[in-house]
Amino acid sequence: MNLRHHAFSAIFQAIAATRADRWGRGLAQGAGVILTLHHVRPPAAGSFQPNGLLEITPDFLDRTLALIRAEGYDLVSLDEAVLRLSAPRTGRFFVALTFDDGYRDNIEHAWPVLAKHGAPWTLFVTPGFADRTARLWWLELEEAIRALPALSLTLPDGPFTARTDSDTDKQRAFEALYWRLRKQPEAILLSVISDLATQAGIDRAALAERECLPWETLRALAGAPGVTIGAHTLTHPMLAKHDEAFARAEIVEGKVRLEAELGVPIRHFAYPVGDPSSAGPRDFALTQEAGFASAVTTRPGHLFAEHADHLHALPRVSLNGLHQSDAAVKALLSGLPFWLWNRGRRVNVG
């Protein structure tokens, strides 16, 4: 855990110690919150887990849902969340659960827990992952660094070298290279990671097969009680890094493909990566143009009445695998960390 996450842990503990999660609700909580999840599965072995923030355990999900229910909050579908924003009424604070990418463990480990608590959920699916053609590049990078004895690369902004002898070395190398590549055009990021994956002998299609749900399972899942399927582009690009025609095609064709494959209307969308460098006002307009009822980002924040005018740029709060504690959940549900992060702004769509 790096210094930033140690700081967040300290903030969560401070909020719990002062009970600010209770007395600060009126200031920061709003009408509801949309939670972001990715993987739900038992903890992996080994200390090199650079994508660990994207994984929570089934036990933590169980405790989180029990806590939400104990607080008297409503667990609602994304359709209901949008309805409550569009037609405000006095009611209890609500929580909507969303899962990105379409991973196998969402069915194997998350769904039984969700069913136990009667929790509706939305699964945002990328057709390219179901086809085994799109790139899980962040996992490719992890697997390559795990396998390679050292890194020596020539990047557009200069050379990159790193030792990968120990798990600590591997973690440092991943974080440094990840953020160097995130600053580059996406084509460069994909090319560099592709080269590393080839050096490490990683089969990219086999990685998608291992991690992601196949079409036959998605077809069985579509229309199941309490389950909503949403769109997550065709191939999972960071939209803001591409021109408008490419972004529009990814948004529209992903929706069309899902509706054709699954036979259900696709009303909701999640921006891949979803931070300001990956999705912005142009992309918000494109999802509205494509006919989605809502679109969610990963910009952190709770939902307020003002978001009714920004349904295609909704904030979400991540259930982070590095902070799997009741104190963290209570702090996240209070809204206080995001009120501070956003400097008191309720809406952040710039």
Side-chain angles (χ1 to χ4, degrees):
M1 190 184 297
N2 61 27
L3 289 175
R4 178 186 177 192
H5 290 292
H6 279 297
F8 272 113
S9 289
I11 291 170
F12 297 153
Q13 293 296 333
I15 289 174
T18 61
R19 297 181 63 82
D21 58 295
R22 294 192 175 278
W23 57 256
R25 288 177 184 176
L27 177 69
Q29 194 173 52
V33 65
I34 303 170
L35 297 181
T36 310
L37 301 93
H38 289 81
H39 292 285
V40 178
R41 56 193 180 190
S47 59
F48 176 57
Q49 302 295 333
N51 289 300
L53 75 169
L54 301 178
E55 302 187 14
I56 65 170
T57 67
D59 176 68
F60 179 59
L61 178 60
D62 188 26
R63 295 190 344 254
T64 297
L65 297 181
L67 190 154
I68 290 169
R69 291 292 195 197
E71 291 289 337
Y73 301 150
D74 292 337
L75 284 163
V76 304
S77 68
L78 202 48
D79 278 324
E80 176 65 17
V82 171
L83 179 63
R84 291 193 185 194
L85 286 175
S86 301
R89 61 181 185 275
T90 301
R92 296 191 298 186
F93 183 79
F94 63 84
V95 179
L97 304 170
T98 62
F99 294 73
D100 286 8
D101 300 335
Y103 294 117
R104 290 181 183 270
D105 55 67
N106 294 171
I107 302 302
E108 296 166 2
H109 297 293
W111 201 8
V113 178
L114 295 163
K116 171 185 172 182
H117 292 274
W121 56 292
T122 296
L123 181 66
F124 290 113
V125 175
T126 296
F129 294 154
D131 289 336
R132 314 314 190 212
T133 55
R135 301 271 304 278
L136 295 160
W137 56 262
W138 55 99
L139 294 180
E140 293 175 23
L141 180 60
E142 175 181 340
E143 296 296 334
I145 291 176
R146 178 173 283 112
L148 294 172
L151 302 179
S152 181
L153 305 166
T154 300
L155 302 178
D157 58 351
F160 179 89
T161 59
R163 296 176 56 183
T164 54
D165 299 320
S166 67
D167 282 358
T168 299
D169 291 336
K170 293 178 190 296
Q171 186 73 34
R172 289 172 179 163
F174 181 95
E175 290 188 9
L177 183 55
Y178 175 92
W179 290 111
R180 282 275 294 272
L181 292 175
R182 279 288 306 274
K183 295 176 182 178
Q184 304 294 332
E186 192 163 30
I188 292 174
L189 176 150
L190 292 174
S191 177
V192 169
I193 296 176
S194 179
D195 289 345
L196 286 174
T198 299
Q199 291 177 41
I202 295 167
D203 184 332
R204 294 190 292 272
L207 184 60
E209 174 67 26
R210 184 188 83 190
E211 298 291 338
C212 297
L213 291 165
W215 282 115
E216 55 266 30
T217 305
L218 291 168
R219 292 187 189 103
L221 187 63
V227 181
T228 299
I229 303 294
H232 202 36
T233 70
L234 191 63
T235 65
H236 204 271
M238 291 177 273
L239 293 172
K241 289 180 173 285
H242 298 273
D243 64 36
E244 183 172 321
F246 179 91
R248 177 181 284 108
E250 280 282 336
I251 292 166
V252 173
E253 291 175 21
K255 183 178 192 290
V256 169
R257 181 75 190 287
L258 287 175
E259 290 180 338
E261 291 283 355
L262 305 181
V264 296
I266 303 297
R267 292 173 35 79
H268 305 284
F269 181 90
Y271 302 98
V273 183
D275 67 344
S277 71
S278 305
R282 181 205 67 185
D283 309 301
F284 305 155
L286 289 175
T287 55
Q288 184 172 15
E289 175 188 295
F292 288 103
S294 79
V296 296
T297 69
T298 58
R299 301 180 186 216
H302 279 212
L303 300 172
F304 295 88
E306 293 90 332
H307 284 106
D309 296 324
H310 302 281
L311 293 176
H312 298 85
L314 295 177
R316 287 191 291 175
V317 168
S318 175
L319 276 188
N320 191 305
L322 302 181
H323 305 288
Q324 298 187 64
S325 69
D326 289 356
V329 174
K330 289 178 180 179
L332 297 178
L333 294 176
S334 76
L336 283 172
F338 317 111
W339 182 79
L340 294 169
W341 178 273
N342 293 315
R343 300 177 183 178
R345 289 181 301 169
R346 292 185 170 188
V347 176
N348 178 18
V349 297

